[in-house]
Amino acid sequence: MYKYDEYDHEIVGARVAEFRDQVNRRLKGELTEEEFRPLRLMNGLYLQLHAYMLRVAIPYGTLSSDQLRRLARIARVYDKGYGHFTTRQNIQYNWPKLVETPDILQELADVEMHAIQTSGNCIRNVTTDQFAGATAEEIDDPRIYGEIIRQWSSLHPEFSFLPRKFKIAITGAEKDRAAVKWHDIGLVMKRGPEGEPGFEVLVGGGMGRTPVIAKTIRDFLPEPYLLSYLEAILRVYNEQGNRDNKYKARIKILVDAIGADEFARQTEAEWEKMKDQPIDVPAEEIARIRSYFAPPALPVLDAQDDAVDALAAKNVMFKAWLKNNTHPHKVPGHVAVTISLKPAGGIPGDASDSQMELIADLADQYSQGDVRVSHEQNLILPHVAWRDLADLWTALDGAGLGFANAGLVSDIIACPGLDYCSLANARSIPLAQELSNRFADLTRLEDVGPLKIKISGCINSCGHHHAGHIGILGVDRRGVENYQILLGGSGEEDATKAELLGPGFGADEIADKIEQVIAVYLDIREEDEHFLAAYRRVGPAPFKEALYAAA
Amino acid sequence: MIVANRLADGRAVFFTEDGDWSPDLARVLVANEDAIDDALDAALKFEGSNDVVSVEAIEADTSTNPARPAHMKPLMQTTGPTVRPDLGYQTGTNWE
């Protein structure tokens, strides 16, 4: 993975010292809250319902085992013993004290991490495929370009005060696990006519109160021009984005207003002026960054092991885990392992300090010290030999981390919701807990099959409800929590917006209604048809009839 | 009633009858519409002295004893997250 050079260390170290001084001045009253608020937000420090919340960037969702150990230590020493992995591949701490935040940032800086640009109207953490560098599906490791974009966008003076926040996602494979079509800019790696690498460029995707799927403005951008083209897009947006109304300030509103073709035309015109300026990264620098992401030297091994077979024969959870929680690796005899942070009744994305430390140790033992965070709020060990899976799973299972539900109905995305978040209108986590308890039985889970439930506690959509096969949006209905059901969304390469099914339901009935939706699916599905395919075939009518006919 | 967050740790606190801040609802000041503006002025002085931030007058539910916030969000601030009763305000010793 990328290692900080002297400039990275200097920049991050200087920022910690600067923030320490700002906190001291705030506590002494030399800065007002009005003056201090933007400064703390620039360092990822929010004020939520019960406490401050610190959002720490995990660039493109990649962690070393030492970094994960440090995140565990921060949870234990400065917080309440846990952290929350988010849908943007970051981690949030829910209870930091203001006075201790500079110490936390120093602890992060010591392991080459920070919280810069995890808030504010700037380019946020670049997200990508959690299996980057491991999956055989990819054209190239997207983290190379994620790192190039990180360096370009960090403290970029022209793009530090954009009309609104800005999110870029990149996938190295046609198979999209990074929800790129739901981002301000989505990049899909492709090969050009001569086999050269490059990107399909999409703009104007986003969730929130106005869900929009990004539109392609360039079918193929050759790799050397990545930064100049991104810069051209940002310039068009920065100049024309709406700064008067925050609800109309995202790039998706601009692209919708002038049309994708016109946006593309303006971007191309801007790009023509700068494409041969020294903005793009020289080939030797790309090669240098590429070297940090060199694939580990894994031996080709057998994809069969007696110990694995023996455990699978006697343990149904392990057998299911082999099927659901492993992904094929580009090196034969290896897999990428998804560690579910969604046990029955658990809080999606939460991990305790001891769980994080165990996973760090297991990463060292079995996965080249490499850990990933997925936007679906799980942790991944990307390079595991098949022959180690029985030992690995046994260790995970002993810490409550062996649940075989990756990609299944209880692998729920949920935002922090009203339990923590000052923006939320309704709780998300209790509903996720209730649903995962109802689908705790492995046989039932596997019978339902792949199904993505995504829950947001407000219209800002941190829980990605617009992209859920079943999306759930919590609202405040005359002072009472109320939950709307949306069906048919997708965050993958076939991205679609979920459609609102009808009026919402109270907190005491929403879990029953979701079970009813799933019961309808089980009734109408044809052979091995997954939920999304069945919904696309029949539309909302049978679901509406089941949920609303009796009312 | 009036709610705010403590500057030092962000904890939600309520303006009390004796002109201080406390998480204890039994001490909370409940004022009618005529008196709330004066109370808010008094409470906002603590923002100036950097004890609290985000000072806000909120509707009270006086049907309970002690009174409590009428709406979900500040009500949540009196309990801590419902999903971690082991860590929220309920635990007392974790907090003072």
Side-chain angles (χ1 to χ4, degrees):
Chain A
M1 65 186 291
Y2 181 74
K3 300 295 293 177
Y4 276 15
D5 63 17
E6 59 186 302
Y7 301 106
D8 294 301
H9 280 294
E10 191 178 322
I11 289 168
V12 174
R15 180 60 87 83
V16 174
E18 181 184 57
F19 190 59
R20 189 180 296 281
D21 179 58
Q22 289 163 344
V23 169
N24 286 338
R25 287 157 64 203
R26 176 70 187 105
L27 290 169
K28 282 192 270 181
E30 293 170 12
L31 290 174
T32 66
E33 184 62 15
E34 192 180 2
E35 291 165 331
F36 180 66
R37 186 172 175 275
L39 302 176
R40 69 167 159 76
L41 288 173
M42 287 168 80
N43 291 285
L45 189 64
Y46 291 71
L47 181 57
Q48 297 286 27
L49 289 180
H50 317 292
Y52 291 94
M53 179 273 279
L54 181 67
R55 180 180 297 151
V56 176
I58 300 175
Y60 31 86
T62 292
L63 285 168
S64 70
S65 54
D66 284 343
Q67 288 175 326
L68 183 56
R69 262 183 218 102
R70 182 57 56 95
L71 296 179
R73 174 183 148 78
I74 289 169
R76 186 171 56 248
V77 174
Y78 301 96
D79 211 87
K80 290 181 180 286
Y82 68 107
H84 177 74
F85 291 97
T86 77
T87 52
R88 302 216 68 260
Q89 299 179 301
N90 291 322
I91 187 170
Q92 295 180 174
Y93 294 105
N94 290 309
W95 309 98
K97 293 180 175 66
L98 177 59
V99 68
E100 291 181 342
T101 308
D103 293 336
I104 299 174
L105 295 181
Q106 184 59 57
E107 295 247 12
L108 291 169
D110 291 344
V111 293
E112 306 186 352
M113 296 183 77
H114 60 68
I116 297 167
Q117 290 182 205
T118 60
S119 175
N121 294 335
C122 53
I123 300 172
R124 303 288 187 88
N125 187 30
V126 180
T127 52
T128 191
D129 184 355
Q130 67 270 25
F131 299 140
T135 179
E137 299 158 300
E138 70 189 11
I139 286 173
D140 201 355
D141 188 333
R143 295 174 303 160
I144 299 162
Y145 303 97
E147 175 57 28
I148 288 169
I149 294 169
R150 186 192 74 80
Q151 294 192 20
W152 161 76
S153 63
S154 292
L155 309 182
H156 193 305
E158 190 176 333
F159 305 136
S160 291
F161 297 96
L162 293 166
R164 198 73 180 89
K165 59 187 171 183
F166 203 91
K167 299 172 182 176
I168 301 174
I170 177 168
T171 170
E174 195 176 330
K175 175 70 191 168
D176 180 9
R177 282 174 287 265
V180 301
K181 294 184 179 177
W182 287 102
H183 284 73
D184 295 285
I185 294 177
L187 297 168
V188 181
M189 291 210 75
K190 284 189 166 176
R191 293 223 177 265
E194 311 295 323
E196 72 278 24
F199 309 90
E200 179 184 349
V201 182
L202 301 98
V203 299
M207 297 198 192
R209 66 188 61 228
T210 313
V212 182
I213 291 167
K215 296 168 185 71
T216 299
I217 59 165
R218 198 170 227 281
D219 288 324
F220 185 74
L221 174 73
E223 180 223 43
Y225 293 110
L226 176 62
L227 290 191
S228 58
Y229 202 80
L230 293 182
E231 189 127 342
I233 294 171
L234 265 296
R235 281 204 174 164
V236 173
Y237 167 57
N238 205 14
E239 188 179 337
Q240 296 184 50
N242 187 331
R243 290 175 185 270
D244 298 329
N245 180 347
K246 70 182 285 194
Y247 301 121
K248 296 185 183 300
R250 297 290 288 267
I251 193 173
K252 63 190 173 188
I253 305 295
L254 175 63
V255 173
D256 183 59
I258 67 175
D261 290 345
E262 174 60 15
F263 189 91
R265 190 194 65 74
Q266 293 189 23
T267 298
E268 296 282 330
E270 190 69 35
W271 185 49
E272 278 301 316
K273 290 187 276 185
M274 66 173 74
K275 65 190 275 192
D276 295 316
Q277 304 295 317
I279 293 170
D280 285 306
V281 184
E284 54 271 27
E285 177 63 7
I286 295 178
R288 188 182 75 87
I289 290 177
R290 175 181 297 279
S291 70
Y292 290 114
F293 299 95
L298 301 175
V300 172
L301 298 172
D302 281 343
Q304 189 278 328
D305 179 79
D306 290 345
V308 171
D309 292 346
L311 184 56
K314 67 179 184 186
N315 188 310
V316 291
M317 184 63 79
F318 178 63
K319 186 179 176 189
W321 185 84
L322 288 177
K323 179 161 69 105
N324 300 326
N325 290 48
T326 67
H327 182 83
H329 197 283
K330 58 176 74 171
V331 179
H334 294 77
V335 288
V337 165
T338 298
I339 301 170
S340 171
L341 298 183
K342 322 285 178 63
I347 298 177
D350 273 16
S352 70
D353 54 346
S354 58
Q355 286 179 324
M356 286 189 253
E357 282 172 341
L358 173 71
I359 292 168
D361 290 346
L362 294 172
D364 281 339
Q365 197 171 351
Y366 298 116
S367 180
Q368 310 290 317
D370 195 345
V371 186
R372 308 293 174 78
V373 184
S374 72
H375 87 270
E376 293 182 322
Q377 300 180 283
N378 292 313
L379 293 177
I380 281 82
L381 299 181
H383 310 294
V384 181
W386 184 267
R387 66 187 179 194
D388 291 332
L389 289 175
D391 291 342
L392 171 62
W393 180 82
T394 301
L396 288 170
D397 194 47
L401 294 166
F403 202 27
N405 63 340
L408 302 182
V409 63
S410 62
D411 186 4
I412 297 169
I413 287 181
C415 72
L418 190 57
D419 278 296
Y420 292 99
C421 178
S422 60
L423 297 175
N425 293 317
R427 286 172 291 172
S428 303
I429 297 168
L431 177 55
Q433 291 175 306
E434 172 71 20
L435 289 171
S436 67
N437 273 326
R438 291 187 185 207
F439 289 92
D441 177 70
L442 191 58
T443 307
R444 190 175 186 212
L445 259 181
E446 294 214 290
D447 180 39
V448 173
L451 206 175
K452 294 179 189 293
I453 296 180
K454 307 191 183 198
I455 309 172
S456 301
C458 80
I459 194 68
N460 290 300
S461 318
C462 295
H464 291 193
H465 64 277
H466 294 298
H469 299 171
I470 299 176
I472 303 171
L473 170 63
V475 298
D476 177 343
R477 190 166 173 234
R478 292 189 288 276
V480 179
E481 289 166 306
N482 192 265
Y483 296 88
Q484 299 175 347
I485 298 174
L486 301 89
L487 297 181
S490 168
E492 300 181 32
E493 60 278 10
D494 60 349
T496 45
K497 277 188 287 187
E499 299 164 314
L500 182 65
L501 195 63
F505 300 98
D508 57 345
E509 54 182 350
I510 180 65
D512 289 343
K513 295 296 180 183
I514 298 301
E515 279 206 272
Q516 269 183 275
V517 167
I518 293 168
V520 170
Y521 154 65
L522 294 176
D523 192 42
I524 63 166
R525 73 174 167 189
E526 296 176 346
E527 295 192 22
D528 294 332
E529 192 177 43
H530 295 172
F531 179 90
L532 186 59
Y535 178 80
R536 285 174 172 168
R537 177 172 55 81
V538 303
F543 299 95
K544 271 188 186 169
E545 192 181 323
L547 267 62
Y548 297 103
Chain B
M1 53 179 59
I2 296 169
V3 67
N5 294 91
R6 280 198 307 229
L7 174 65
D9 60 7
R11 177 173 184 176
V13 284
F14 294 84
F15 199 51
T16 65
E17 287 187 330
D18 54 355
D20 200 355
W21 295 92
S22 172
D24 182 2
L25 284 180
R27 296 173 56 199
V28 72
L29 171 88
V30 180
N32 62 27
E33 283 184 22
D34 295 334
I36 194 70
D37 285 346
D38 287 344
L40 194 56
D41 285 344
L44 281 167
K45 289 190 176 125
F46 287 84
E47 211 170 61
S49 61
N50 304 301
D51 293 308
V52 295
V53 295
S54 303
V55 175
E56 188 185 2
I58 57 168
E59 196 178 327
D61 174 3
T62 54
S63 69
T64 60
N65 186 21
R68 61 182 198 174
H71 295 292
M72 284 187 297
K73 200 171 289 189
L75 196 56
M76 186 69 68
Q77 290 182 293
T78 68
T79 63
T82 60
V83 294
R84 288 306 299 262
D86 56 325
L87 295 175
Y89 303 156
Q90 305 93 324
T91 56
T93 52
N94 255 325
W95 285 96
E96 296 297 343

